[in-house]
Amino acid sequence: MRLAFFNSSRSWGGVKTWTVEFAAALQQMGHEVTIFGRKGPFVQRAAHAGLPAHEVSFGPDFNPAAIWRFASFFRRQGTQAVLVNVGRDIRTAGVAAALCGLPVVHRIGLPRDMRNHWKVRAVHRLVRPHYLCPCEFIRQGMLDALPFVDKKDSTVILSAKTPSPAPAALRRDSAAPLQLVTTSQLKSDKGHADVLHVLHALKADGHRFHWHVAGTGDKAGELKATAAALGLAGDITWHGFTQDIGSVLSLADVFVLPSLSEGLPNTLLEAMARGLVPVARNVGGIAEVWPHHGRQLLLPADSFRPALHKALADLTQSGTEQLNSLGAAAWTQCRTTFSMQTQAPRLEQFFNTLIHGNPASCVSS
């Protein structure tokens, strides 16, 4: 197959990681996947993965120059299907694909990525995309937000990761502080402030830990100031933005996801694929991939701080064997539920059916 994947968003997010990783998996299976995006890390990462990647200017919605340029590429390359992400993608590349008679897949990142607005309805009627969702929670949220979308025009294929060859060996030195990690953008809805206040209470209780924080965002300065005011400056390493998340995860035993809202977070899947112990607020589609062994670490959203305090206090007192057991359960869940080895063939089948058969048959259970 010859496919084209587009992402015009400016900030880094899980959808971009998904796009590069699934495109690379499809390419390894013998398909041709070309990546289009704005100048920056997304296109660079795609190129580094060995994918044909192009920096492009999308311009405004329905930009005729962009539509003509993308349509010319599709005809020249013999593109068979196009995947888009946000509004600007579908209003340029999606329109170009529709004019060429190509199937369009709209990859949905969050339940309410789109509003029931006249522009969204008009584009839907023009392009007739098939909606691809990374979990059932997101699909149902999208259908609730867009009542004009028929469920048969949507498909769920779980986001995926390639698990490490074996689960990480955790708490290598049981006398050392428990190593925590969070790899999310530093924004208010990601919940870092909750973790800071819980860590402050844990430190007062005599628990030992170190928190690794990767990511950037508009709350970075405020969070660092709060950490200093709470006496936590020496207990936190701020790693900033990095494309080598694996090197940060390798420093930790426990992955903490305090987000107030999520879809199916890529960061959680990355940590579970390595065998870190996951601790998370129970929001979005997280429960769809959570390991049964360790269910007590999926914390209630309405009483998150006290639940996080208890969970982390217990983990700081846990022995190496218990931590490794919890980490191994997360790693096994990746292998059995959201491994790239199983999900990439599902995406391959999805595109094959969309190109050659009845799109309705793509719908997952």
Side-chain angles (χ1 to χ4, degrees), residues 255-338:
F255 178 82
V256 182
L257 184 71
S259 299
L260 281 70
S261 64
E262 283 287 356
L264 184 61
N266 179 72
T267 56
L268 171 67
L269 305 186
E270 288 175 331
M272 290 175 64
R274 297 181 69 90
L276 299 189
V277 178
V279 179
R281 195 189 308 251
N282 188 3
V283 295
I286 291 174
E288 296 180 40
V289 298
W290 199 263
H292 179 73
H293 180 52
R295 201 73 184 178
Q296 75 277 12
L297 300 177
L298 184 57
L299 309 178
D302 57 355
S303 56
F304 179 69
R305 283 195 188 182
L308 181 63
H309 185 282
K310 182 181 187 308
L312 294 183
D314 290 345
L315 289 171
T316 61
Q317 301 301 309
S318 296
T320 298
E321 183 177 349
Q322 183 178 0
L323 289 174
N324 279 306
S325 176
L326 290 167
W331 177 80
T332 300
Q333 184 76 345
C334 174
R335 292 190 65 194
T336 58
T337 305
F338 58 89

Side-chain angles (χ1 to χ4, degrees), residues 81-84 90 93-95 97-98 102-106 127-131 354:
V82 173
L83 181 140
V84 296
I90 199 168
V95 171
L102 301 177
V104 177
V105 178
H106 193 168
V127 177
R128 306 302 302 181
H130 192 92
Y131 297 94
L354 199 64

Side-chain angles (χ1 to χ4, degrees), residues 163-214:
S164 59
L170 305 177
R171 205 70 180 276
R172 290 167 286 274
D173 180 358
S174 58
L178 186 70
Q179 300 294 312
L180 314 173
V181 65
T182 299
T183 56
S184 302
Q185 295 180 50
L186 304 184
K187 297 181 176 181
S188 57
D189 65 332
K190 294 302 183 181
H192 294 82
D194 285 332
V195 181
L196 286 173
H197 288 283
V198 169
L199 294 183
H200 173 65
L202 286 171
K203 186 172 183 177
D205 292 340
H207 296 288
R208 300 178 66 228
F209 54 81
H210 192 88
W211 189 27
H212 299 272
V213 181

Side-chain angles (χ1 to χ4, degrees), residues 8 61 82 97 117 161 182 194 230 236 244 276 333 339 358:
S8 65
D61 288 346
V82 173
H117 184 267
K161 291 294 168 187
T182 299
D194 285 332
L230 293 174
I236 303 174
D244 185 13
L276 299 189
Q333 184 76 345
S339 168
N358 178 10

Side-chain angles (χ1 to χ4, degrees), residues 54-292:
H54 301 276
E55 296 178 346
V56 295
S57 173
F58 290 85
D61 288 346
F62 309 110
N63 178 13
I67 292 171
W68 178 85
R69 186 167 63 252
F70 295 147
S72 297
F73 174 87
F74 300 152
R75 295 189 182 103
R76 185 170 64 252
Q77 297 296 319
T79 303
Q80 295 172 284
V82 173
L83 181 140
V84 296
N85 172 35
V86 297
R88 189 62 49 81
D89 302 357
I90 199 168
R91 292 169 192 152
T92 52
V95 171
L99 293 175
C100 293
L102 301 177
V104 177
V105 178
H106 193 168
R107 205 283 192 176
I108 306 298
L110 290 171
R112 299 188 180 276
D113 268 354
M114 297 177 291
R115 304 292 182 181
N116 188 4
H117 184 267
W118 70 266
K119 186 184 291 187
V120 173
R121 295 192 296 271
V123 172
H124 173 82
R125 287 193 295 269
L126 172 65
V127 177
R128 306 302 302 181
H130 192 92
Y131 297 94
L132 180 63
C133 305
C135 66
E136 189 59 45
F137 168 81
I138 288 178
R139 171 160 72 171
Q140 192 54 55
M142 179 201 68
L143 294 174
D144 291 343
L146 305 179
F148 55 86
V149 175
D150 194 318
K151 185 176 181 179
K152 70 178 179 61
D153 294 324
S154 65
T155 294
V156 172
I157 297 177
L158 287 175
S159 294
K161 291 294 168 187
T162 300
S164 59
L170 305 177
R171 205 70 180 276
R172 290 167 286 274
D173 180 358
S174 58
L178 186 70
Q179 300 294 312
L180 314 173
V181 65
T182 299
T183 56
S184 302
Q185 295 180 50
L186 304 184
K187 297 181 176 181
S188 57
D189 65 332
K190 294 302 183 181
H192 294 82
D194 285 332
V195 181
L196 286 173
H197 288 283
V198 169
L199 294 183
H200 173 65
L202 286 171
K203 186 172 183 177
D205 292 340
H207 296 288
R208 300 178 66 228
F209 54 81
H210 192 88
W211 189 27
H212 299 272
V213 181
T216 58
D218 58 7
K219 292 296 180 180
E222 180 179 325
L223 289 169
K224 291 176 183 179
T226 300
L230 293 174
L232 295 170
D235 303 298
I236 303 174
T237 299
W238 304 92
H239 293 269
F241 175 78
T242 175
Q243 293 206 50
D244 185 13
I245 288 296
S247 65
V248 180
L249 293 176
S250 68
L251 301 172
D253 306 308
V254 176
F255 178 82
V256 182
L257 184 71
S259 299
L260 281 70
S261 64
E262 283 287 356
L264 184 61
N266 179 72
T267 56
L268 171 67
L269 305 186
E270 288 175 331
M272 290 175 64
R274 297 181 69 90
L276 299 189
V277 178
V279 179
R281 195 189 308 251
N282 188 3
V283 295
I286 291 174
E288 296 180 40
V289 298
W290 199 263
H292 179 73

